[in-house]
Amino acid sequence: MVPVVQLFARDVPELPFAEGMDVLQLVWCPLIHPHDQACAALPRLYWRNEADVLASGQLQAIPAPQEGEYEEEFMPNPCTVSPTSVVEYPNWDLPQKLRQTLQPRIEELEERFDMEYTQLACALQNKVGGYPAWNQPPDWPSCDSGHRMEHLLSVTPEEDLDMVMGDLGGIYVFLCRQCPELPYAHRYDC
């Protein structure tokens, strides 16, 4: 498992954290897992309490997989992030009737800025919350209780991370806040 994202509640105040927790950590196995429907890195999500983490001691040397024990495209480079709040809009998830109503305005904006709607409306970077910037048709997961999960975060092939991840797709992590155990799921979109 390699570390991918660590967020502190103080840095992302708009993200509701699990009760009593103020650290969110995402790690993943950087191998391709054929048994997983995504056939990509296999993420694990951990909600933690910073005081408990500090009390248990920090790793002095972060373990790294050996050469050949990982897929290069799923190995992030260590970096820091500077959270910035943005407003974004659904991409493929825009309801059909609303898309038809907005289509003339969307075409006008695309022509005016010489960009596709996705580039204008969606934050295509690593992000917390918002909407997945689907390359493929949307594939929202549901928890075992049948609730549609919410988009928690996206990990995309940004330059700082030096990851390719297919055809510039990403791994989207979803969470069900309706269930007390906070189940999560992921989708690989390339």
Side-chain angles (χ1 to χ4, degrees):
M1 302 300 268
V2 295
V4 180
V5 175
Q6 177 171 275
L7 300 171
F8 294 90
R10 66 179 170 269
D11 295 330
V12 193
E14 55 277 341
L15 175 65
F17 274 67
E19 190 171 331
M21 304 298 160
D22 57 2
V23 178
L24 172 63
Q25 296 173 324
L26 175 72
V27 298
W28 68 36
C29 177
L31 292 171
I32 292 178
H33 296 270
H35 65 279
D36 179 58
Q37 77 176 42
C39 278
L42 195 56
R44 294 287 179 253
L45 197 62
Y46 298 98
W47 298 95
R48 298 209 165 120
N49 177 287
E50 184 177 8
D52 292 343
V53 171
L54 291 173
S56 66
Q58 296 179 353
L59 289 175
Q60 298 305 312
I62 298 172
Q66 300 298 312
E67 189 69 36
E69 291 183 339
Y70 59 89
E71 295 292 329
E72 190 71 38
E73 65 184 308
F74 296 115
M75 281 295 294
N77 285 331
C79 65
T80 58
V81 296
S82 300
T84 304
S85 295
V86 298
V87 175
E88 67 171 352
Y89 301 94
N91 180 16
W92 287 61
D93 294 344
L94 199 59
Q96 187 62 29
K97 191 170 185 167
L98 181 57
R99 181 174 283 283
Q100 289 172 345
T101 302
L102 293 176
Q103 193 61 39
R105 179 72 175 135
I106 289 172
E107 289 172 5
E108 176 187 320
L109 288 169
E110 287 179 337
E111 186 175 321
R112 180 175 170 193
F113 293 103
D114 194 30
M115 297 173 112
E116 292 181 16
Y117 170 79
T118 302
Q119 296 168 305
L120 294 167
C122 303
L124 301 175
Q125 298 83 9
N126 295 310
K127 62 184 172 186
V128 174
Y131 301 93
W134 302 105
N135 288 314
Q136 305 295 324
D139 182 17
W140 288 86
S142 295
C143 70
D144 290 342
S145 297
H147 306 124
R148 179 174 146 167
M149 295 180 159
E150 68 181 66
H151 175 251
L152 178 64
L153 59 92
S154 292
V155 179
T156 59
E158 289 190 41
E159 192 173 307
D160 288 345
L161 296 179
D162 194 29
M163 292 189 301
V164 178
M165 295 173 44
D167 293 331
L168 300 178
I171 293 183
Y172 308 138
V173 180
F174 301 86
L175 181 72
C176 178
R177 292 193 187 275
Q178 296 179 56
C179 294
E181 64 277 7
L182 297 175
Y184 64 92
H186 68 285
R187 296 293 187 261
Y188 176 49
D189 183 51
C190 66

